[in-house]
Amino acid sequence: MKAKVTAAAEMKIGEIDRRVFGSFIEHLGRAVYGGIYEPGHPLADEEGFRTDVIKLINELGVPVVRYPGGNFVSGYNWEDGVGPVENRPARLELAWGVTEPNKFGTNEFMRWCKKAKTSPMMAVNLGTRGPEEARQLVEYCNHPSGTKYADLRRAHGYNDPWGVKLWCLGNEMDGHWQMGAKTAYEYGRIANEAAKLMKWVDPSIETVLSGSSNRHMKSFGDWEATALDLAYDNVDYVSLHQYYDNKTGDTASFLAKSMELDDFIYSIICTCDFVKAKKRTKKQINLSFDEWNVWYHSNDDYVEKWSTAPHQLEDIYNFEDALVVACMLITLLRHADRVKIACLAQLVNVIAPIMTENGGRAFRQTIFYPFKLMSKYARGAALKPIVDSPKYDCKEFTDVPYLETILTYDKENDEVVFFGVNRSMDENILLDVKLLGFEGYKAVSFESMDGHGVLEENGFDCEKVTMHSNPVPQTDGDVTTADLKPLSFNVIRFRK
Ligand code: AHR
């Protein structure tokens, strides 16, 4: 089949905020213990951080990491995780039914962020705790000295404040599974008061209001409108969470899930702007999509109650999952004007692009590759593509374009990049990419992920689902013609 995409230098959606390539580490399963932190591992450094994992995270390109949860944060006492390790208590961790040893806490995370060349996005507990403990944690992290919590940090060996800029106000507070779940009104009030005090401690921080746990929640929409109405002045972003699955084995519908994602994002933008209009304010609330991924392969796995760092939510991803992740990323970039932060959930071992063995190896899952390529090349501005693509109908959606795409323009480096997924299971797309206002640009590289069965996976012994290079497509004037294989993720770079 044939398709055509046109992009123009002047038709920008918005600048891409690097933080959309964020990720997430929760105290859950082996994300921390056995993931980023494993003293005694042959490749652990003197602080117990796995250097093989840090290397892979650097390769992936992750500028911000959300921590420490997730559902975990709603029962977390941050004080348990600071100070001499031998004095820290082990706790019953109710969110995931395990024992939390507290060997790794706030300061270890900050140290790890520095080594991993990323930055922290902290979450505060608004489930079992409230504004008081939240403001104390901001003081502990960000105040220089001369007060109780700043001096406590110094007594723990960290003289300089960590300067944490981004703060999530709780997590999924609308969910019945959440410790201290709340109504939108209860949450909006407590989030507002917490954010207010946190910003009084450090006016330079930005805060993220917890939105609905997903768009299928009964209170979806009302939740955001009510909570935002109550907390508008003290928050900067509203969060979105969404995971997709293919439990029914319906690949055509699974690949089209990003259409639902697009609608979800649009609904939240509208809700933010509805509250903005109601308040007659100039302040705009942007979006933090701080949990997104495919998640379902591990849902029925057995986890021993009250064990420590069990194998939990260790999804092994396949090729079609990687294509869905690519479509999700493309969709996030298509909203670059409003989605300023996004976190692939999660980063290591728990529904993650990187898997490790305790004491052993690590490997890159299939979803690692689209994320890596997009984090590396999607720089500058997202361009609004005019897409002329054949469409299909499936069980869950109608009019699904076979081609899912975004283009980016990095003015500083004179580079335009096309990212596209061919959703067709059996047909190539003969694609024309027309670039307007980019005189002298031509295709210089073409990488793709294709030729795999939808269920093909990577493992410790084989990373076969990866990207590969193709012959550079021909550019004739402002049109470049490329052949996109069935079920493929494609990256074409253009330079002057
Ligand atoms: O990422 C796993 C869990 O998914 C998080 O703890 C929670 O916020 C969400 O429901």
Side-chain angles (χ1 to χ4, degrees):
M1 75 182 93
K2 285 189 171 179
K4 185 173 169 186
V5 55
T6 310
E10 300 80 33
M11 286 180 61
K12 287 185 188 148
I13 298 168
E15 287 299 312
I16 297 165
D17 192 317
R18 284 292 302 148
R19 297 174 302 174
V20 294
F21 296 104
S23 188
F24 176 31
I25 286 283
E26 176 169 3
H27 281 251
L28 161 53
R30 298 188 308 123
V32 173
Y33 307 107
I36 61 172
Y37 176 75
E38 194 181 346
H41 186 281
L43 296 173
D45 68 9
E46 64 295 347
E47 294 181 271
F49 304 149
R50 277 185 69 156
T51 54
D52 55 338
V53 173
I54 287 182
K55 243 184 176 167
L56 288 173
I57 291 168
N58 290 161
E59 183 186 329
L60 194 59
V62 182
V64 63
V65 177
R66 183 169 173 251
Y67 172 88
N71 298 340
F72 170 83
V73 79
S74 295
Y76 185 47
N77 298 337
W78 66 265
E79 303 86 337
D80 292 345
V82 295
V85 174
E86 59 279 11
N87 298 341
R88 299 186 196 171
R91 290 271 193 188
L92 287 182
E93 203 292 281
L94 301 184
W96 300 103
V98 296
T99 301
E100 168 55 48
N102 282 309
K103 304 275 182 240
F104 185 100
T106 301
N107 294 311
E108 286 80 20
F109 179 63
M110 300 299 163
R111 293 276 309 149
W112 177 84
C113 281
K114 290 219 180 300
K115 287 189 171 173
K117 298 191 189 73
T118 187
S119 59
M121 176 184 193
M122 290 292 281
V124 297
N125 174 356
L126 293 187
T128 59
R129 305 185 106 191
E132 174 65 2
E133 295 84 358
R135 73 157 167 132
Q136 289 170 359
L137 180 57
V138 176
E139 182 184 322
Y140 183 89
C141 289
N142 287 6
H143 196 66
S145 63
T147 62
K148 175 169 171 170
Y149 291 100
D151 288 345
L152 185 62
R153 182 196 69 242
R154 291 166 70 92
H156 291 158
Y158 304 98
N159 278 345
D160 295 333
W162 294 116
V164 180
K165 178 96 182 146
L166 264 178
W167 293 83
C168 301
L169 303 164
N171 176 70
E172 296 189 352
M173 301 306 306
D174 59 334
H176 62 82
W177 58 87
Q178 205 68 214
M179 287 177 264
K182 297 186 169 40
T183 65
Y185 182 80
E186 289 166 344
Y187 173 66
R189 288 285 304 131
I190 199 172
N192 184 52
E193 289 306 312
K196 184 175 91 183
L197 301 197
M198 290 159 76
K199 287 189 170 187
W200 282 357
V201 173
D202 181 353
S204 74
I205 65 169
E206 293 186 314
T207 56
V208 183
L209 187 81
S210 282
S212 299
S213 297
N214 59 69
R215 75 189 280 278
H216 302 291
M217 298 297 288
K218 221 168 147 196
S219 56
F220 171 65
D222 268 352
W223 174 275
E224 284 81 359
T226 305
L228 260 181
D229 199 32
L230 292 161
Y232 205 92
D233 292 344
N234 290 303
V235 303
D236 305 282
Y237 306 91
V238 63
S239 79
L240 298 83
H241 290 180
Q242 190 67 53
Y243 297 95
Y244 289 122
D245 67 71
N246 187 14
K247 286 187 188 144
T248 57
D250 175 1
T251 298
S253 297
F254 187 42
L255 291 171
K257 293 282 186 188
S258 53
M259 290 179 70
E260 185 188 294
L261 182 72
D262 191 67
D263 188 54
F264 179 19
I265 294 171
Y266 181 64
S267 316
I268 298 298
I269 292 171
C270 294
T271 309
C272 291
D273 292 351
F274 160 69
V275 182
K276 178 180 182 224
K278 244 177 93 178
K279 290 187 176 289
R280 296 164 185 83
T281 173
K282 288 202 170 79
K283 180 180 174 183
Q284 176 174 291
I285 301 292
N286 285 322
L287 276 53
S288 169
F289 214 119
D290 46 42
E291 283 187 36
W292 70 269
N293 202 348
V294 170
W295 173 10
Y296 73 108
H297 297 285
S298 63
N299 286 359
D300 300 327
D301 290 0
Y302 171 75
V303 174
E304 192 190 331
K305 196 83 174 158
W306 310 131
S307 55
T308 294
H311 291 264
Q312 201 164 11
L313 310 187
E314 298 196 356
D315 275 41
I316 298 300
Y317 291 111
N318 58 35
F319 177 50
E320 68 175 11
D321 298 332
L323 294 177
V324 170
V325 161
C327 289
M328 291 179 84
L329 264 174
I330 288 171
T331 306
L332 292 171
L333 292 187
R334 271 211 308 270
H335 291 281
D337 53 336
R338 299 299 291 270
V339 177
K340 298 294 175 187
I341 304 162
C343 304
L344 175 69
Q346 298 192 8
L347 184 54
V348 185
N349 289 332
V350 174
I351 43 173
I354 298 167
M355 296 300 292
T356 71
E357 281 175 326
N358 291 341
R361 300 163 293 175
F363 78 88
R364 302 166 188 82
Q365 296 240 46
T366 60
I367 63 169
F368 186 98
Y369 292 96
F371 190 100
K372 169 183 161 174
L373 269 276
M374 293 191 72
S375 176
K376 188 165 172 191
Y377 293 126
R379 301 291 170 121
L383 299 179
K384 190 167 177 50
I386 298 166
V387 183
D388 182 4
S389 163
K391 296 181 177 171
Y392 68 93
D393 294 339
C394 52
K395 268 196 201 126
E396 292 184 39
F397 303 91
T398 53
D399 291 324
V400 184
Y402 280 106
L403 178 66
E404 177 77 292
T405 184
I406 187 74
L407 287 100
T408 59
Y409 173 33
D410 181 358
K411 201 171 175 180
E412 259 172 46
N413 292 308
D414 279 328
E415 180 161 296
V416 174
V417 187
F418 160 90
F419 301 94
V421 171
N422 177 2
R423 291 182 169 115
S424 170
M425 280 179 257
D426 40 33
E427 272 194 69
N428 291 33
I429 293 180
L430 194 59
L431 175 73
D432 278 352
V433 183
K434 187 171 179 146
L435 297 181
L436 300 175
F438 290 104
E439 228 187 287
Y441 278 70
K442 60 180 185 141
V444 293
S445 74
F446 176 15
E447 287 175 81
S448 66
M449 197 180 199
D450 53 49
H452 301 286
V454 285
L455 300 182
E456 231 172 292
E457 299 166 348
N458 290 341
F460 287 107
D461 295 318
C462 58
E463 274 182 34
K464 51 184 187 248
V465 186
T466 62
M467 303 288 299
H468 64 87
S469 298
N470 300 292
V472 177
Q474 284 299 313
T475 303
D476 187 4
D478 52 13
V479 177
T480 300
T481 306
D483 187 6
L484 312 185
K485 297 275 165 3
L487 290 181
S488 59
F489 167 59
N490 305 274
V491 182
I492 305 172
R493 292 164 60 221
F494 301 84
R495 297 184 73 88
K496 240 186 199 168

